[in-house]
mmCIF file of all heavy atoms in Angstrom:
data_model
loop_
_atom_site.group_PDB
_atom_site.id
_atom_site.type_symbol
_atom_site.label_atom_id
_atom_site.label_comp_id
_atom_site.label_asym_id
_atom_site.label_seq_id
_atom_site.Cartn_x
_atom_site.Cartn_y
_atom_site.Cartn_z
ATOM 1 N N LEU A 13 -11.913 6.135 6.717
ATOM 2 C CA LEU A 13 -12.287 5.608 7.997
ATOM 3 C C LEU A 13 -12.813 6.700 9.013
ATOM 4 O O LEU A 13 -13.883 6.380 9.780
ATOM 5 C CB LEU A 13 -11.281 4.731 8.554
ATOM 6 C CG LEU A 13 -11.519 3.995 9.898
ATOM 7 C CD1 LEU A 13 -10.874 2.558 9.893
ATOM 8 C CD2 LEU A 13 -11.210 4.797 11.076
ATOM 9 N N LEU A 30 -14.756 23.502 3.992
ATOM 10 C CA LEU A 30 -13.946 24.770 4.112
ATOM 11 C C LEU A 30 -12.593 24.157 4.244
ATOM 12 O O LEU A 30 -12.308 23.326 5.173
ATOM 13 C CB LEU A 30 -14.178 25.575 5.341
ATOM 14 C CG LEU A 30 -13.352 26.719 5.616
ATOM 15 C CD1 LEU A 30 -13.408 27.716 4.541
ATOM 16 C CD2 LEU A 30 -13.574 27.409 6.871
ATOM 17 N N LYS A 116 7.443 26.333 -15.390
ATOM 18 C CA LYS A 116 8.358 26.974 -14.389
ATOM 19 C C LYS A 116 8.310 28.513 -14.584
ATOM 20 O O LYS A 116 9.175 28.958 -15.324
ATOM 21 C CB LYS A 116 9.738 26.328 -14.605
ATOM 22 C CG LYS A 116 10.677 26.753 -13.421
ATOM 23 C CD LYS A 116 12.010 26.096 -13.634
ATOM 24 C CE LYS A 116 13.062 27.010 -12.999
ATOM 25 N NZ LYS A 116 14.417 26.614 -13.413
ATOM 26 N N TRP A 118 8.105 31.313 -11.716
ATOM 27 C CA TRP A 118 7.890 31.675 -10.309
ATOM 28 C C TRP A 118 7.931 33.213 -10.116
ATOM 29 O O TRP A 118 8.915 33.862 -10.742
ATOM 30 C CB TRP A 118 8.854 31.035 -9.344
ATOM 31 C CG TRP A 118 8.822 29.445 -9.366
ATOM 32 C CD1 TRP A 118 9.862 28.687 -9.831
ATOM 33 C CD2 TRP A 118 7.650 28.732 -8.933
ATOM 34 N NE1 TRP A 118 9.304 27.333 -9.660
ATOM 35 C CE2 TRP A 118 8.026 27.363 -9.118
ATOM 36 C CE3 TRP A 118 6.482 28.959 -8.334
ATOM 37 C CZ2 TRP A 118 7.112 26.288 -8.782
ATOM 38 C CZ3 TRP A 118 5.588 27.889 -8.008
ATOM 39 C CH2 TRP A 118 6.035 26.571 -8.314
ATOM 40 N N SER A 138 -8.758 50.761 11.813
ATOM 41 C CA SER A 138 -7.418 50.174 12.180
ATOM 42 C C SER A 138 -7.385 50.112 13.687
ATOM 43 O O SER A 138 -6.680 49.137 14.165
ATOM 44 C CB SER A 138 -6.289 50.975 11.612
ATOM 45 O OG SER A 138 -6.296 52.254 12.012
ATOM 46 N N PRO A 146 -2.001 33.033 17.203
ATOM 47 C CA PRO A 146 -1.373 32.101 16.520
ATOM 48 C C PRO A 146 -0.669 31.043 17.428
ATOM 49 O O PRO A 146 -0.114 30.015 17.009
ATOM 50 C CB PRO A 146 -0.233 32.738 15.637
ATOM 51 C CG PRO A 146 0.008 34.009 16.536
ATOM 52 C CD PRO A 146 -1.197 34.367 17.328
ATOM 53 N N ARG A 190 -1.716 20.038 9.027
ATOM 54 C CA ARG A 190 -1.467 21.471 9.011
ATOM 55 C C ARG A 190 -2.792 22.064 8.655
ATOM 56 O O ARG A 190 -3.356 22.086 7.475
ATOM 57 C CB ARG A 190 -0.386 21.810 7.983
ATOM 58 C CG ARG A 190 0.110 23.381 8.077
ATOM 59 C CD ARG A 190 1.133 23.678 7.141
ATOM 60 N NE ARG A 190 2.260 22.776 6.993
ATOM 61 C CZ ARG A 190 3.268 22.831 7.900
ATOM 62 N NH1 ARG A 190 3.302 23.743 8.885
ATOM 63 N NH2 ARG A 190 4.278 22.060 7.921
ATOM 64 N N ASN A 241 19.146 27.986 11.292
ATOM 65 C CA ASN A 241 18.346 28.779 10.224
ATOM 66 C C ASN A 241 16.854 28.382 10.368
ATOM 67 O O ASN A 241 16.102 28.973 9.596
ATOM 68 C CB ASN A 241 18.920 28.603 8.817
ATOM 69 C CG ASN A 241 18.788 27.184 8.311
ATOM 70 O OD1 ASN A 241 18.414 26.345 9.111
ATOM 71 N ND2 ASN A 241 19.264 26.968 7.120
ATOM 72 N N GLU A 256 7.217 9.497 12.294
ATOM 73 C CA GLU A 256 7.425 9.068 10.854
ATOM 74 C C GLU A 256 6.015 8.885 10.312
ATOM 75 O O GLU A 256 5.518 7.715 10.349
ATOM 76 C CB GLU A 256 8.234 7.730 10.760
ATOM 77 C CG GLU A 256 8.655 7.545 9.484
ATOM 78 C CD GLU A 256 9.498 6.278 9.195
ATOM 79 O OE1 GLU A 256 9.637 5.392 10.168
ATOM 80 O OE2 GLU A 256 10.205 6.137 8.122
ATOM 81 N N TRP A 261 9.174 11.862 7.993
ATOM 82 C CA TRP A 261 9.410 12.467 9.335
ATOM 83 C C TRP A 261 8.878 13.851 9.426
ATOM 84 O O TRP A 261 9.285 14.781 8.789
ATOM 85 C CB TRP A 261 10.766 12.326 9.776
ATOM 86 C CG TRP A 261 11.277 10.949 9.992
ATOM 87 C CD1 TRP A 261 11.851 10.059 9.111
ATOM 88 C CD2 TRP A 261 11.138 10.282 11.318
ATOM 89 N NE1 TRP A 261 12.206 8.834 9.704
ATOM 90 C CE2 TRP A 261 11.792 8.960 11.040
ATOM 91 C CE3 TRP A 261 10.703 10.536 12.557
ATOM 92 C CZ2 TRP A 261 11.776 8.053 12.044
ATOM 93 C CZ3 TRP A 261 10.801 9.581 13.496
ATOM 94 C CH2 TRP A 261 11.379 8.263 13.282
ATOM 95 N N GLY A 266 7.272 20.905 19.587
ATOM 96 C CA GLY A 266 8.472 21.665 19.671
ATOM 97 C C GLY A 266 8.941 22.028 21.085
ATOM 98 O O GLY A 266 8.014 22.401 21.870
ATOM 99 N N GLY A 354 -34.393 -11.983 26.516
ATOM 100 C CA GLY A 354 -33.783 -11.218 27.619
ATOM 101 C C GLY A 354 -32.338 -10.813 27.456
ATOM 102 O O GLY A 354 -31.747 -10.135 28.265
ATOM 103 N N LYS A 367 -20.615 1.807 33.000
ATOM 104 C CA LYS A 367 -20.474 3.185 32.324
ATOM 105 C C LYS A 367 -19.924 4.291 33.265
ATOM 106 O O LYS A 367 -19.388 5.200 32.706
ATOM 107 C CB LYS A 367 -21.746 3.576 31.734
ATOM 108 C CG LYS A 367 -22.924 4.039 32.369
ATOM 109 C CD LYS A 367 -24.080 4.383 31.571
ATOM 110 C CE LYS A 367 -25.256 4.734 32.365
ATOM 111 N NZ LYS A 367 -26.560 4.659 31.656
ATOM 112 N N ARG A 413 -9.554 -6.999 21.212
ATOM 113 C CA ARG A 413 -9.501 -6.603 19.679
ATOM 114 C C ARG A 413 -8.388 -7.098 18.847
ATOM 115 O O ARG A 413 -8.450 -7.672 17.804
ATOM 116 C CB ARG A 413 -9.514 -4.951 19.769
ATOM 117 C CG ARG A 413 -9.419 -4.308 18.489
ATOM 118 C CD ARG A 413 -9.052 -2.901 18.725
ATOM 119 N NE ARG A 413 -7.716 -2.836 19.323
ATOM 120 C CZ ARG A 413 -7.349 -1.796 20.060
ATOM 121 N NH1 ARG A 413 -8.122 -0.716 20.217
ATOM 122 N NH2 ARG A 413 -6.187 -1.829 20.568
ATOM 123 N N SER A 415 -5.713 -9.399 19.444
ATOM 124 C CA SER A 415 -5.475 -10.794 19.305
ATOM 125 C C SER A 415 -6.719 -11.614 18.945
ATOM 126 O O SER A 415 -6.638 -12.705 18.474
ATOM 127 C CB SER A 415 -5.015 -11.482 20.652
ATOM 128 O OG SER A 415 -6.116 -11.352 21.612
ATOM 129 N N MET A 416 -7.854 -11.026 19.007
ATOM 130 C CA MET A 416 -9.318 -11.700 18.746
ATOM 131 C C MET A 416 -9.514 -12.789 19.793
ATOM 132 O O MET A 416 -10.402 -13.536 19.506
ATOM 133 C CB MET A 416 -9.380 -11.943 17.301
ATOM 134 C CG MET A 416 -9.479 -10.775 16.485
ATOM 135 S SD MET A 416 -9.706 -11.075 14.650
ATOM 136 C CE MET A 416 -8.088 -11.715 14.345
ATOM 137 N N ALA A 422 -17.424 -14.206 34.316
ATOM 138 C CA ALA A 422 -18.680 -13.973 35.079
ATOM 139 C C ALA A 422 -18.919 -12.413 35.022
ATOM 140 O O ALA A 422 -18.056 -11.666 35.020
ATOM 141 C CB ALA A 422 -18.484 -14.289 36.558
#
Side-chain angles (χ1 to χ4, degrees):
L13 180 143
L30 177 68
K116 189 177 150 199
W118 299 114
S138 59
R190 196 181 303 283
N241 63 1
E256 192 178 17
W261 284 95
K367 74 183 176 202
R413 176 197 63 205
S415 63
M416 292 180 287

